[in-house]
Amino acid sequence: MNVAKKMLQVPTNISSKDHRFFIFCNYMFVFAFFAHIIFIPIFYKMGNTIVFINNILAVFLDLLCLTLNYKGFIKTATALWIFEIFGHTLYCSYAYGWEQGYYYYFLSLVIIVFFSRWTISIRLMVTALLCTATIFIFNYTHTYPPVTKLNYITLNLIHAYNATANFVGIAYASYYYRRYSEQMEARLLHLASTDALTGICNRRFFEQSVENKLEKPSSDGIKECALLLLDIDHFKKINDSFGHAVGDLALQKVAEICNHSLREGDVLGRIGGEEFAIFFANVDYPEVLQFAERLRKNIGDSKFLLDDAPELGLSVSIGLTMPKFQNEKLSSMMVRSDQALYQAKNSGRNKVVALIE
């Protein structure tokens, strides 16, 4: 398994609500690990033994945090890592002075604190600590000279490195959680607009989509629209005889056949228990009637095998209507389609009835 896949693999002991933060922490700990590795020869050359030893310890603490994260101790790993960076940054600022830019890490840590799984009171306390430390180290380093003085070139190179590391980290965190927010928004929109069983539009989204189409002014040469309601015949009997699981399969089968029959621009939705609706834009009466008859026949010809049961066939009754006047509302078309469907079911089922006038 390559490293990238390993980083994205979430252990079973991690709760679903922590998956996103777990992956974020993985990258954060690995990034810090390699950053501290790079700094080992740099700190050695800079001549401060305590900073050098602290950096060596930081390498092992990064690995420890990564291990704790994989074992499910996300809060502990985050706390250890934040205070590792906090302590290391505080001492480096004391040792080398303000100009090297170690204080950037205090600001970056605030983002990690608020992404953490701690309570809000703890997050505020840690943020206050970071703010206090930043103010303190600013005053201290502008009052007392650094313990270890560096030449101009080294000082500027380290400052550039610290600034770059923090900008990269903040950019990654911002991108990561922005992408996550967009994914969640798309997922919530899908859940809000989709029937969970069949995967097609639910009633609310179907009506909203059709009303939007009806409100758009028609261009020259555009044909009329039509509304079709279909209901699975004897659906209650299917549930009573074979169980609701088989009834669900029947609903999915009908939705699949309807969906495969649609043209671009048509809208399909499940609007009731065993009732479906299809809205046709840019269609005339002969076309939509032919479609309805073909759909009825395709569903009637479909069968599926059941365990320890005979082959099950399906049939549907269909009610069809078209607008009586320009800009007619969906609600009144639904009433007529429902009346047509009622007539189809009461006159023997497995047929198409149209109410046009």
Side-chain angles (χ1 to χ4, degrees):
M1 180 183 296
N2 60 42
V3 175
K5 288 184 178 179
K6 180 68 175 177
M7 297 283 285
L8 294 173
Q9 185 180 12
V10 182
T12 56
N13 60 336
I14 306 297
S15 65
S16 57
K17 67 178 182 179
D18 290 331
H19 282 189
R20 187 64 52 177
F21 188 64
F22 167 83
I23 296 172
F24 175 76
C25 287
N26 273 354
Y27 283 108
M28 181 172 65
F29 298 153
V30 170
F31 177 79
F33 171 78
F34 284 109
H36 287 132
I37 289 289
I38 292 172
F39 256 110
I40 289 177
I42 296 174
F43 280 138
Y44 179 78
K45 290 290 185 181
M46 288 166 65
N48 189 300
T49 304
I50 295 177
V51 173
F52 175 72
I53 294 173
N54 283 344
N55 192 75
I56 296 291
L57 292 175
V59 171
F60 290 100
L61 285 173
D62 291 334
L63 291 176
L64 176 60
C65 291
L66 191 63
T67 302
L68 290 172
N69 199 45
Y70 268 100
K71 290 183 178 296
F73 301 106
I74 297 178
K75 292 181 181 179
T76 303
T78 307
L80 180 61
W81 188 81
I82 286 175
F83 284 102
E84 168 215 321
I85 301 299
F86 173 83
H88 196 44
T89 299
L90 193 65
Y91 192 82
C92 284
S93 297
Y94 161 76
Y96 298 118
W98 180 263
E99 289 78 10
Q100 287 203 3
Y102 287 102
Y103 57 88
Y104 291 135
Y105 294 99
F106 288 139
L107 304 178
S108 297
L109 283 178
V110 174
I111 297 176
I112 311 303
V113 168
F114 277 93
F115 285 164
S116 72
R117 292 298 183 264
W118 302 338
T119 63
I120 188 63
S121 58
I122 293 179
R123 296 179 201 181
L124 291 173
M125 289 172 59
V126 175
T127 301
L129 175 64
L130 293 170
C131 179
T132 303
T134 304
I135 296 171
F136 168 78
I137 204 67
F138 174 83
N139 289 323
Y140 182 88
T141 55
H142 284 75
T143 303
Y144 301 98
V147 174
T148 304
K149 292 185 178 181
L150 302 173
N151 62 54
Y152 180 80
I153 295 176
T154 303
L155 188 150
N156 280 279
L157 286 175
I158 299 301
H159 182 273
Y161 178 90
N162 287 331
T164 301
N166 280 274
F167 272 98
V168 169
I170 292 173
Y172 164 69
S174 301
Y175 165 75
Y176 185 84
Y177 275 91
R178 170 64 185 271
R179 186 180 65 174
Y180 172 65
S181 297
E182 290 174 346
Q183 290 173 344
M184 285 299 297
E185 183 179 356
R187 182 182 177 187
L188 290 173
L189 179 61
H190 176 75
L191 291 174
S193 61
T194 305
D195 175 62
L197 178 64
T198 61
I200 62 176
C201 297
N202 58 24
R203 178 165 190 149
R204 176 181 171 276
F205 191 71
F206 173 82
E207 291 178 347
Q208 184 181 63
S209 300
V210 173
E211 286 168 356
N212 289 338
K213 289 178 178 291
L214 290 173
E215 288 173 1
K216 290 181 180 179
S218 298
S219 303
D220 292 339
I222 297 298
K223 300 178 184 178
E224 294 183 277
C225 60
L227 180 67
L228 178 153
L229 294 185
L230 67 88
D231 190 277
I232 301 176
D233 295 328
H234 306 294
F235 185 73
K236 184 177 184 303
K237 184 178 180 181
I238 294 175
N239 279 333
D240 293 342
S241 301
F242 302 103
H244 289 279
V246 175
D248 290 346
L249 290 176
L251 292 168
Q252 291 169 342
K253 186 69 173 179
V254 170
E256 178 185 356
I257 295 172
C258 290
N259 202 32
H260 287 166
S261 303
L262 298 182
R263 310 163 307 161
E264 185 177 357
D266 295 339
V267 184
L268 167 67
R270 181 184 174 197
I271 61 171
E274 67 270 25
E275 193 170 15
F276 298 82
I278 304 176
F279 176 80
F280 302 89
N282 192 22
V283 70
D284 56 27
Y285 178 67
E287 286 176 318
V288 73
L289 184 62
Q290 184 181 35
F291 176 92
E293 287 290 356
R294 185 170 63 250
L295 181 61
R296 182 194 62 80
K297 185 177 184 303
N298 288 343
I299 294 173
D301 291 341
S302 68
K303 293 178 172 58
F304 54 95
L305 296 174
L306 306 176
D307 295 335
D308 301 323
E311 192 176 54
L312 178 64
L314 299 171
S315 69
V316 294
S317 300
I318 299 176
L320 173 65
T321 194
M322 303 183 76
K324 283 187 174 182
F325 52 86
Q326 191 174 10
N327 298 325
E328 183 179 8
K329 297 295 184 182
L330 174 63
S331 56
S332 60
M333 292 177 65
M334 291 280 283
V335 170
R336 278 203 313 284
S337 290
D338 197 52
Q339 291 171 348
L341 176 61
Y342 182 80
Q343 291 183 22
K345 295 186 79 69
N346 283 316
S347 59
R349 294 186 172 87
N350 192 24
K351 62 176 58 178
V352 178
V353 172
L355 286 182
I356 305 301
E357 298 300 331

